[in-house]
Amino acid sequence: MPDLTTGVRYIKGVGEQKAKSLEKLGIQTLRDLIAYFPRAYEDRRTVKKIRELEDGESACVEAMVADPPVSQRVRGSRAELVKVRAVDGSGSLYVTFFNQPYMKNSLQAGEAYTFFGKAEASGRRRMMVNPLVEREGARALTGRIVPVYPLTAGVSQLLLSRAVAQGLDACADILPDPLPEEIRREHQLCSTDYAYRQIHFPGGDEELEVARRRLAFEELFLLAIGLKKLRGRREEFTCQPFACTDISDFYAALPFPLTDAQRRTIGEILADLAGGRPMNRLVQGDVGSGKTMVAAAAMVCAVRNGRQAALMAPTEILAEQHCRGLTPLLEKLGISCALLTGAMPAKARRAVLAEVESGGAQVVIGTHALISADVRYRDLGLVVTDEQHRFGVAQRSALSAKGERPHLLVMSATPIPRTLALIIYGDLDVSIIDQLPPGRQRIRTACRSGEGRTRIYRFMDQEIAAGGQAYVICSMVEENDAVPDDRKAVTAYASMLQEQIFPHLRVACVHGRMKPKEKDAVMTAFSAGEIHILVSTTVVEVGVDVPNANLMVIEDADRFGLSQLHQLRGRVGRGSRQSYCILISDNRSEEAQARLKIMVQTGDGFQIAEEDLRLRGPGDFFGRRQHGLPALKVADLSCNMALLKEAQQAAAGLLERDPDLEAHPITAQRVEELFQSSGGAMN
């Protein structure tokens, strides 16, 4: 009798080789298999007449093969085509199969079949290429809602679909339910076996919605319990409160007054440091809102209490920038700083390591080098990570492990709606710096079509002649990225600008496939003013300050999320020059235009983030970022906010009645599994 831990290789039709392919999808056991949910669905229930088919739509057609299929070779290649004409009384459908020679004998003239595929319409002629075909009335591939799964080499939709069906037959009845019966009844949720069957093979729209709601609630419920337990565990720890929290001389040493939002955030941090429990705080602030000064205040407080502070940045160039900016201020207050990066010469590195170990370096600024095995701190009391989403939970934990329960401050310039921030960073307290320093000019933003590119280039030339510098952002790297226009490829675009448009200027490019040292060399040259135009992918989204750069041009702006566009725009406007951002897009769809209009209308990152969440869902915030929390397979946070609140209330109620989940072992086990899969955040 199989159970949930049975390997998928024992399923009929899978075997050893297919099991290896499935393993690439994270599927090893029957449990993994039935929890591998479809990414989309194809509705193959509606049957259309041939004449009703519209260009580009996927639909079913029931038609009779009018003539015997004909096969032919494609001239100059080994490819073989099979062509057939089918009719249904309303017209003819011309079907072509590529490299499926067996279709010549599979289809019989005079027999009726159901064809499902994407229609091509040209005048009155209707065509399909490589459609699914089955005998009329068979209903194995058509006549129902069909799941569409993410695939990998060696795994087809049919294989996965059949394997899931067998997996469900084998173990759906023995699936443990992590939702207590009383919660299921109270929130009118279906049983777990019904949910799994309907999410994979829905009987209809209503059944699919019932299954989705149940599984989304379950995810959010388990997540809410895990986050509450994380917070509870953190609150169990105690540490020596920081006694000296008077930093008035820090304020006096600053060359400018801090905003009310900065002062409020510093007040929250100082209260944490004096509270007797390790601080775990996220500081969110728009680009240029002054998060670094807030971190500096915390570091001053740590050093005044005899502890060391470490600031970890995602790149060497950003670490160096922090060091250059903070060292003069901190040294004025009698605090010593050291820089530690992976690219340092061995002799210099040994000297810094000795300073860190002896405590001579009171503030250490660096990259991942800060968590290297040979780095020993005398007494690390505060850890600051910049651009939190660039670090995984493991890296954050590794730096914290260098000290005895140090305080943790994480900073992010990615504006995230508060509701989402409390979920992504659920084990952290959240501070938001929602003011920009006075005198900071708004970046003038405009949206233009590609036809206006000549005028844009002329404007670039004028701004650079006046002493400015420009970024040009592309969405692709090389010509073979399946984008028909080479202009959108970074390397080709940079060459075109240099040779055809700006031969009198210096143009360079940077992208994610370059080695870090190469990237840093280009960015350093741009920062020094040796490069006039930098063509880049989104690798500059988080990077070095170039106060002289005052023009940002973003190609194919409609391809980016609003929050990412806002991050990119924040690369300019860091000096005294009036700065500009030009969004180029030829996408005239209503949705694309509405999104870009928001960018033109506001510079408020949090307002933009709310709109992005509403329009695109949470993908742009979660994306590939290592926020360290479990990925949600079913729940959509942009649409499920009401369900989230329901699940959070249910989780809070259960933990009130059973704080250690002793009476609910299945729930406890699922919560543990969920957080283990995200890097051991529950440990």
Side-chain angles (χ1 to χ4, degrees), residues 594-615:
R595 291 174 62 248
L596 296 178
K597 190 177 177 185
I598 293 162
M599 291 297 300
V600 173
Q601 288 174 336
T602 182
D604 183 333
F606 290 96
Q607 188 182 334
I608 287 167
E610 292 286 357
E611 285 296 318
D612 214 8
L613 182 62
R614 186 177 66 80
L615 291 169

Side-chain angles (χ1 to χ4, degrees), residues 368-385:
H368 297 85
L370 296 177
I371 60 177
S372 299
D374 59 348
V375 183
R376 296 178 186 84
Y377 297 84
R378 185 184 64 79
D379 187 4
L380 183 60
L382 173 67
V383 167
V384 181
T385 62

